[in-house]
Amino acid sequence: MRNHGEIWLANLNPGRGTEPGKIRSVLILQNQALLDAEHPSTLIIPLTTSLVDDAEPLRLRVVAQGTMHEDSDLLLDQLRAIDNKRLIAGPLLRLDDQEMERVYQAVAEVLGMENNTLSSRNKIR
C-alpha cells in the first residue's frame, strides 16, 4: 500500500527530453484518499542524487536515512503522474510533517499558488 509522503523506487523509463528517466526514487505526493481508492495513477516528484545547492524552490534536499543511502534532491519542476505499475519497490522512507510542509510550500511556489490566488499575469482568460 502506497502512502502520501513516502519515497518509493519507480521505473521512469523511457525518459524524453528533460524528463528524468531510469529507475529512481520518487516522492508520492498524491492525496491519500486517491491512493486508498486505488486510483490507477499516482502524482510523484522524482529525486536525483546529482545535488545542486541553493536551488529552492526547484530542488529540496532529502538527507539519506532509512533505506535511502545517498542524499538526494527532489526535482519539484518535474512533478508528474505515473501509472502505478511504474512503482516497483517501497517504501524506502517516509518524510515527516515538517519536511512535507517544505514540499507543499515549494510545490505551491513552482505552480504559482503560493498566495492561493492567481496573479494578474497567470489568470485564465
Side-chain angles (χ1 to χ4, degrees):
M1 175 59 121
R2 295 161 287 120
N3 290 295
H4 177 83
E6 290 178 342
I7 294 178
W8 281 61
L9 281 181
N11 184 347
L12 300 182
N13 286 317
R16 295 220 164 92
T18 62
E19 297 173 351
K22 70 183 182 180
I23 295 174
R24 68 175 60 239
S25 301
V26 299
L27 172 66
I28 295 178
L29 192 61
Q30 185 150 299
N31 181 288
Q32 191 62 44
L34 286 173
L35 295 167
D36 291 344
E38 298 181 10
H39 187 73
S41 62
T42 301
L43 288 170
I44 58 97
I45 299 172
L47 286 92
T48 182
T49 55
S50 297
L51 306 178
V52 175
D53 292 329
D54 301 319
E56 289 187 29
L58 297 178
R59 289 179 177 229
L60 292 178
R61 186 72 36 90
V62 176
V63 177
Q65 55 187 310
T67 55
M68 276 187 52
H69 302 293
E70 294 183 66
D71 289 354
S72 300
D73 282 352
L74 286 161
L75 299 171
L76 286 125
D77 62 332
Q78 294 291 330
L79 172 70
R80 65 188 271 200
I82 60 171
D83 188 278
N84 292 340
K85 293 176 185 140
R86 288 184 176 270
L87 295 164
I88 57 176
L92 306 177
L93 173 68
R94 184 176 184 132
L95 298 186
D96 65 27
D97 291 345
Q98 185 177 4
E99 292 168 312
M100 287 305 296
E101 187 59 38
R102 288 182 59 227
V103 172
Y104 303 146
Q105 290 173 358
V107 167
E109 190 170 347
V110 168
L111 295 177
M113 300 169 44
E114 63 271 17
N115 295 322
N116 293 324
T117 61
L118 291 173
S119 68
S120 59
R121 68 176 188 272
N122 289 333
K123 285 188 179 174
I124 298 171
R125 299 179 201 272

